[in-house]
Amino acid sequence: MITWLRTNAWRHALVISVCLFSLFPLYLVVISSFNSTGSLRLDSFIPREISFANYKMLFNDPAIPYLTWMKNSLVVAGATAILSVTIGSASAFAFSRLAFKGRKTGIQMLLLVQMFPAILAISAVYVIMERVYTFAPSIGLGTQAGLLLIYLGGAMGVNIWLLKGFVDSIPKELDEAAKIDGASAVQTYWLIFMPLAAPVLAVVSLLSFIGTFNEFILARLFLVDMESRTVAVGLQQFIGGQYSENWGPFAAGSIIASVPIVIIFLSLQKYIVNGLTAGSVKG
Amino acid sequence: MTSFFRGKISFAFKLVALLLIASVLITLTQSAVAQGEYFIAAFLGITVFLLALTYLTKVSIPLKFFLPGILLLVAFVLSPIIFTVTMSGYNYKTGNIISKDEAILQIQNRAFEPDANGTSFDIKIGRYQAQEALLVSDSVNNAFFISTVRDRIPLNPADLTINEYGVAESAPDFAVLSDSEMANADKLYSGKRFTYQDEYFIALEGFEVGIVSRQVLSFDAEKDQFNNIITGEVYTDNGKGNYAIADNPDQYLEPGWRAPVWFENYTKLFTEERLRGPLISVFIWTVTFASLSVLTTFALGLLLALALNKPIRGRRVYRSILILPYAMPSIMSILIWGGMFNTEFGAINNLLGTDIAWFQNALFAKFAIILVNLWLGFPYFYLVSSGALQAIPSELLEAAAIDGANPRQIFRRITLPLLLQILSPLLIASFAFNFNNFNLIYLLTGGGPRAELDGELAGATDILISFTYKIAFGSSVQDLGLASAISLVIFLLVAGISLYGLRKSKVLESFQ
């Protein structure tokens, strides 16, 4: 028992205190979501009341189109995830497997372009989409389709980079065998590579989905209509601006929005962590 | 299945899909041309051409894989970057947004003044012979006339319907606007000059009053200058996007235009005291913030990894709890922390029994930012450090133990140097990420506290990127040219750091 204390007690003590640190804000949000006073105050560690008023407000108040926001986020993030991985994997395959002039320059350019901080190009993107709006209002400024296009462009660099890492790890012998059997590059891609890479593609799509779901600034700048907002932008107004510091519905809304993502993340943590280490930091 | 990719059916499918996409793009190109957006139209046109060339011929097989990605990158990443680079050479800010021709036109249209007596008339707006026209009632002289941009048609009061205030309500051949037409009238009528007499014309003041005015400034296209007809002052092109009086540069005409100023936006960063001071302090804080963030997150993450590098009881549960902050959408977490630091209603003061105004004091605000970023970032370093610890060969540690090294020595001399070597690219990447961690700063403190009344440009917790965002999209003056210049400087810094990190990680060598 004494040796156990000496060797393991400090480990438990340290880890438990950090666990408390990491749980505290989350616990606070959970109890605030069941608290009808709308503040993030911690009056007692055990909630005094359990009220569903905040949750009801989200779903019943016609001024708060929460379900629409959720749907918008899911549609935009889902479409970005699927399309960017579909388009990105083709490029990654070419970078990894096809020999062509300028391959090295291409991938270095890709890296360099990726380093330009996206936020700083916002003004240019804004001006471009403003102009697109003048002749094609359905994909210009203020539309989800326009936002999707921008996300796709922005996701290309990271996704190609990440996917290339995965493609490199698939044994070359497989597609060389296909080549000997007379398969073209396009056939190798669809018939050999795609089935093999499917699990990896799923993980990268997931990362892309989480990244897009988390995006705030572009969505805030582009989606002006109440009805077209994403959930992050929509919820943010509870605590800044017209609703001024109304934490109850914010807490409830962010719990509903976060739970699925947290569950997916925890259940696939092994794969996601591998992907993150291969690429860079969570953005 | 294989035959599908070779056969005629597949070709037909491909053709139909291509035709559909091409027809959409061509329609868009046409409307872009119609709107005068030639750059976008050219891009769309080239896109259609490249699509056809790539997928209908066998010019280049790699291009079949690349094209969609390249097109998206060019449209939404590369061209904004080029646009930003270009804008950094222009005086492009609030008041200098439009082109020179548009600016000249607007100056001319706005530069008029009422006549000496301030004469004004009651008017009705409508149409005369299918033109925008005014039905003017000069009640002082009891005269009535219709005025269009070209003519003035005198009327006989006997033909008119005149109300109790002596204002003509209708006249023959004059069609008063319907309510629905009134809704769009502003665009058609305001800014127009309706004929009066000599150099005087009638300008609208709302929809019911016309003011007799005359032009003040006249444009001399040959000399490229504006002359004040009345005072004789001369406004010349000052080379920075405004017409100004040569001897008195502060007196210039609005609006200006976006004029090329080459490197002025860059030199401004170093020469203008008002800008240089905040930039230096923001830069120092940016580096401090990024370094401290990496240091704290890495230290805590590593500590946890070491603590859990042994199969102790409950390790899996611990692990799941520890990565929770990383799994939460970061936007939500940052906003929640923002609420927790609220002075009156926040849980932090509540818990500590204090009433600190966290975001009103520079030091407290900085502390809060580092703490929140620690919460957000330590799970990442815990995860990667755990992985790296397992990658260190156990023989090395055993050999050291046999040689008589104590655990502390083993850690300091063997484990840590090896870990740092494995993780250094990730540490550098994390530094680069935090260098531009816009969301955290923007959503948590908004860059504050900032003494706005004292004219401070940057807040105490502003990092370079949030400061730039303020310059570009701030509330009063939006200076896109200057913001673009700073953007480029940041890009060079971050690219330098990241390339250094990549070279260390030897990623680039795999392409040699």
Side-chain angles (χ1 to χ4, degrees):
Chain A
M1 190 64 196
I2 308 271
T3 35
W4 179 87
L5 264 182
R6 201 180 292 154
T7 52
N8 281 346
W10 71 271
R11 293 173 200 269
H12 285 284
L14 171 79
V15 175
I16 287 172
S17 51
V18 179
C19 281
L20 289 178
F21 173 53
S22 80
L23 280 176
F24 177 60
L26 305 176
Y27 177 69
L28 195 67
V29 179
V30 174
I31 56 173
S32 301
S33 76
F34 292 112
N35 182 333
S36 53
T37 58
S39 85
L40 263 192
R41 243 181 120 76
L42 185 74
D43 291 319
S44 69
F45 273 97
I46 300 143
R48 294 215 182 103
E49 57 163 345
I50 297 214
S51 137
F52 289 93
N54 295 320
Y55 290 92
K56 278 185 192 142
M57 186 176 164
L58 285 181
F59 293 105
N60 298 330
D61 190 335
I64 306 168
Y66 183 74
L67 283 175
T68 317
W69 294 340
M70 259 322 246
K71 194 199 78 200
N72 294 341
S73 275
L74 294 178
V75 168
V76 172
T80 307
I82 293 168
L83 289 174
S84 74
V85 169
T86 312
I87 298 172
S89 63
S91 299
F93 176 78
F95 268 130
S96 178
R97 292 299 154 89
L98 302 178
F100 56 93
K101 240 190 205 169
R103 171 167 166 269
K104 195 179 141 195
T105 330
I107 201 138
Q108 285 176 346
M109 277 296 290
L110 195 70
L111 256 180
L112 202 69
V113 161
Q114 204 192 311
M115 278 169 211
F116 195 88
I119 304 236
L120 299 175
I122 276 189
S123 49
V125 174
Y126 192 88
V127 172
I128 292 173
M129 290 319 260
E130 209 173 35
R131 293 190 173 174
V132 169
Y133 183 81
T134 60
F135 64 87
S138 55
I139 57 168
L141 199 65
T143 61
Q144 285 161 13
L147 192 64
L148 173 66
L149 281 172
I150 298 167
Y151 284 158
L152 282 181
M156 271 313 123
V158 189
N159 281 354
I160 295 177
W161 191 245
L162 265 179
L163 285 164
K164 189 191 158 293
F166 286 118
V167 179
D168 285 342
S169 68
I170 295 175
K172 265 203 175 119
E173 290 75 22
L174 279 172
D175 39 284
E176 271 160 13
K179 207 172 174 185
I180 292 167
D181 288 349
S184 70
V186 178
Q187 284 173 323
T188 313
Y189 176 69
W190 285 108
L191 301 175
I192 312 281
F193 168 71
M194 275 308 234
L196 276 175
V200 163
L201 297 184
V203 170
V204 178
S205 325
L206 199 82
L207 283 176
S208 189
F209 180 88
I210 294 175
T212 315
F213 198 88
N214 255 325
E215 204 287 325
F216 177 77
I217 301 302
L218 277 171
R220 163 84 183 270
L221 208 63
F222 274 64
L223 303 176
V224 187
D225 277 355
M226 194 73 166
E227 290 284 323
S228 70
R229 286 182 177 158
T230 56
V231 77
V233 179
L235 285 178
Q236 196 260 350
Q237 1 156 68
F238 283 115
I239 48 176
Q242 65 202 90
Y243 296 92
S244 83
E245 306 273 326
N246 199 352
W247 286 95
F250 173 85
S254 51
I255 285 174
I256 300 175
S258 308
V259 163
I261 291 194
V262 172
I263 290 175
I264 295 172
F265 196 97
L266 289 183
S267 49
L268 295 176
Q269 50 167 298
K270 209 172 105 196
Y271 305 99
I272 292 178
V273 169
N274 286 342
L276 286 167
T277 339
S280 76
V281 202
K282 178 181 172 188
Chain B
M1 188 65 184
T2 320
S3 62
F4 176 81
F5 290 95
R6 284 238 167 117
K8 284 186 180 133
I9 309 169
S10 101
F11 186 75
F13 258 115
K14 201 162 82 175
L15 204 61
V16 170
L18 264 180
L19 277 176
L20 272 176
I21 295 170
S23 61
V24 171
L25 287 175
I26 290 170
T27 321
L28 282 176
T29 315
Q30 282 171 337
S31 15
V33 171
Q35 280 291 328
E37 298 292 351
Y38 299 114
F39 268 117
I40 298 174
F43 176 79
L44 292 170
I46 293 171
T47 303
V48 175
F49 172 74
L50 282 177
L51 281 174
L53 189 72
T54 311
Y55 294 107
L56 294 179
T57 70
K58 289 197 166 162
V59 178
S60 160
I61 296 207
L63 209 56
K64 287 184 199 242
F65 290 93
F66 278 131
L67 195 61
I70 290 181
L71 289 173
L72 280 170
L73 268 173
V74 169
F76 297 106
V77 181
L78 211 56
S79 58
I81 291 177
I82 294 169
F83 183 91
T84 310
V85 174
T86 318
M87 274 314 129
S88 73
Y90 280 81
N91 178 15
Y92 188 47
K93 59 169 190 263
T94 310
N96 295 65
I97 299 284
I98 49 183
S99 70
K100 187 170 182 181
D101 291 338
E102 286 169 301
I104 292 173
L105 209 68
Q106 286 200 19
I107 293 172
Q108 274 177 317
N109 283 340
R110 286 188 202 172
F112 53 79
E113 62 172 24
D115 74 343
N117 303 326
T119 316
S120 67
F121 302 130
D122 288 311
I123 53 149
K124 287 274 162 202
I125 62 176
R127 285 173 193 284
Y128 177 75
Q129 293 178 345
Q131 283 182 51
E132 287 82 43
L134 306 180
L135 174 55
V136 184
S137 312
D138 180 353
S139 40
V140 178
N141 302 317
N142 202 27
F144 302 90
F145 56 91
I146 288 172
S147 169
T148 68
V149 178
R150 267 178 252 145
D151 299 306
R152 176 177 156 181
I153 303 107
L155 297 170
N156 183 355
D159 299 338
L160 309 173
T161 332
I162 297 171
N163 68 14
E164 71 256 50
Y165 306 108
V167 178
E169 294 271 352
S170 66
D173 300 330
F174 181 82
V176 177
L177 289 192
S178 68
D179 285 347
S180 60
E181 284 172 312
M182 281 299 262
N184 297 315
D186 194 46
K187 217 168 150 187
L188 290 170
Y189 287 80
S190 63
K192 279 221 166 76
R193 296 161 176 220
F194 295 94
T195 317
Y196 186 53
Q197 61 194 15
D198 305 324
E199 81 260 32
Y200 289 97
F201 55 89
I202 300 172
L204 284 188
E205 173 87 19
F207 287 154
E208 289 178 338
V209 178
I211 294 176
V212 174
S213 313
R214 65 168 170 173
Q215 183 71 24
V216 181
L217 297 170
S218 81
F219 183 63
D220 186 337
E222 224 161 86
K223 290 184 186 157
D224 188 23
Q225 66 185 35
F226 271 100
N227 299 317
N228 189 321
I229 304 166
I230 299 147
T231 61
E233 283 167 323
V234 178
Y235 295 83
T236 50
D237 184 342
N238 66 358
K240 292 176 183 178
N242 282 101
Y243 284 107
I245 296 176
D247 308 329
N248 187 1
D250 284 341
Q251 208 172 340
Y252 55 83
L253 301 173
E254 296 274 6
W257 63 94
R258 45 172 196 269
V261 292
W262 304 104
F263 296 103
E264 204 186 281
N265 283 322
Y266 294 93
T267 52
K268 237 194 230 173
L269 302 179
F270 303 101
T271 53
E272 227 171 75
E273 186 53 42
R274 218 176 87 80
L275 206 57
R276 191 178 58 192
L279 260 178
I280 292 174
S281 55
V282 165
F283 180 75
I284 292 172
W285 164 240
T286 309
V287 175
T288 319
F289 158 72
S291 321
L292 278 178
S293 294
V294 176
L295 213 68
T296 51
T297 49
F298 176 59
L300 186 58
L302 177 61
L303 208 61
L304 290 168
L306 287 172
L308 292 176
N309 195 27
K310 212 179 155 192
I312 60 169
R313 200 175 298 166
R315 188 158 78 149
R316 289 186 57 162
V317 180
Y318 285 146
R319 189 182 162 94
S320 298
I321 293 176
L322 288 176
I323 66 170
L324 268 181
Y326 195 51
M328 265 295 274
S330 59
I331 297 283
M332 308 289 180
S333 317
I334 297 170
L335 291 171
I336 290 160
W337 274 100
M340 284 166 55
F341 276 112
N342 185 299
T343 314
E344 267 176 84
F345 308 108
I348 305 266
N349 274 340
N350 200 209
L351 200 69
L352 300 176
T354 50
D355 53 351
I356 299 167
W358 289 91
F359 297 150
Q360 307 302 319
N361 175 304
L363 213 61
F364 282 126
K366 287 176 177 179
F367 174 79
I369 284 176
I370 299 288
L371 184 78
V372 174
N373 214 17
L374 174 64
W375 188 86
L376 291 167
F378 81 84
Y380 174 75
F381 276 111
Y382 159 60
L383 291 171
V384 296
S385 307
S386 302
L389 277 178
Q390 273 147 28
I392 293 177
S394 55
E395 294 84 21
L396 272 178
L397 308 176
E398 281 159 18
I402 291 168
D403 287 348
N406 64 34
R408 182 170 293 178
Q409 280 172 325
I410 293 178
F411 177 73
R412 278 190 45 194
R413 299 279 163 81
I414 298 174
T415 317
L416 192 62
L418 275 174
L419 263 182
L420 285 176
Q421 200 186 349
I422 299 172
L423 295 179
S424 67
L426 295 180
L427 290 167
I428 292 168
S430 168
F431 182 87
F433 168 78
N434 279 309
F435 198 88
N436 281 333
N437 198 341
F438 178 79
N439 276 358
L440 176 71
I441 304 291
Y442 183 78
L443 293 175
L444 197 64
T445 62
R450 173 162 78 121
E452 228 166 318
L453 294 177
D454 298 346
E456 269 182 28
L457 289 179
T461 58
D462 257 325
I463 55 174
L464 274 175
I465 199 159
S466 63
F467 181 50
T468 313
Y469 184 85
K470 243 176 226 173
I471 292 176
F473 300 101
S475 46
S476 54
V477 179
Q478 311 191 329
D479 195 336
L480 286 173
L482 184 63
S484 303
I486 306 179
S487 306
L488 239 80
V489 175
I490 299 180
F491 170 56
L492 291 178
L493 285 172
V494 173
I497 299 166
S498 311
L499 281 177
Y500 175 75
L502 281 169
R503 187 153 303 160
K504 276 214 138 176
S505 73
K506 305 198 168 94
V507 171
L508 288 176
E509 272 172 27
S510 58
F511 310 112
Q512 301 294 320

